[in-house]
Amino acid sequence: MPAETDLNAGNTCLVGIAPTVVHVAAVYHFDPPLVTGMLPRPACYLEILRQGEAHDPELEDQGYALDPVGAEPIRIELLFRPYAFLEAGDEVVDHDGRAWRFDGPWDWHPFDGQQTTIPAWPLKLLSRNGDPAPEDTAAVTQQTGTGSHEQELQRWTRLALVKRSTGQP
């Protein structure tokens, strides 16, 4: 392959990106696929942030969009997903008897209207798309039998290399 200074129009060159750890800030689904002027049309984008970069809700354009099934030859390997045993929309009751809706790892909503904090483990699954399957209920109970929200957050913080000053990333 020629050096970049020797490249001319029509030359072939190899471009690579070193393995990179990122964290997914958001997932966007498009049905029908998004019209971008390029083919194939994306049906999904991942909004990703570099390892060490914290989400800033004040920034409109932060991070990068990635089409996980686009034409680029990329390989994605999941290292850690906080609360992997829960799905968005799940309703749980915590150790203290408070009911919560889970909308994402750091997005909890208590049903009692009190000041939002975090659920106390262990958690019991109340609802997942209606009645939860017994195996889903057992998985949530088993996964939250030990540990805490704070431990999930600490593990994520360690892997994402994000410094945080509050209870949420």
Side-chain angles (χ1 to χ4, degrees), residues 84-117:
F85 46 87
L86 292 175
E87 296 177 8
D90 280 358
E91 296 176 0
V92 299
V93 66
D94 73 4
H95 176 268
D96 298 332
R98 290 182 77 190
W100 299 79
R101 186 181 71 246
F102 174 79
D103 287 328
W106 323 123
D107 194 8
W108 290 93
H109 302 276
F111 288 118
D112 60 14
Q114 294 182 13
Q115 183 178 8
T116 302
T117 55

Side-chain angles (χ1 to χ4, degrees), residues 6-87:
D6 297 331
L7 282 174
N8 295 309
N11 286 145
T12 301
C13 70
L14 182 62
V15 177
I17 299 172
T20 304
V21 175
V22 299
H23 59 274
V24 177
V27 179
Y28 302 102
H29 296 278
F30 310 110
D31 186 16
L34 191 63
V35 177
T36 62
M38 298 181 353
L39 296 175
R41 293 180 172 155
C44 175
Y45 273 153
L46 303 179
E47 182 181 324
I48 58 175
L49 298 173
R50 295 178 204 209
Q51 188 178 35
E53 184 177 356
H55 175 70
D56 184 345
E58 299 296 318
L59 295 176
E60 186 174 320
D61 291 322
Q62 183 183 19
Y64 303 89
L66 175 71
D67 180 358
V69 294
E72 298 83 7
I74 61 172
R75 182 173 56 109
I76 299 173
E77 179 182 333
L78 178 63
L79 297 178
F80 174 66
R81 178 181 164 248
Y83 288 94
F85 46 87
L86 292 175
E87 296 177 8

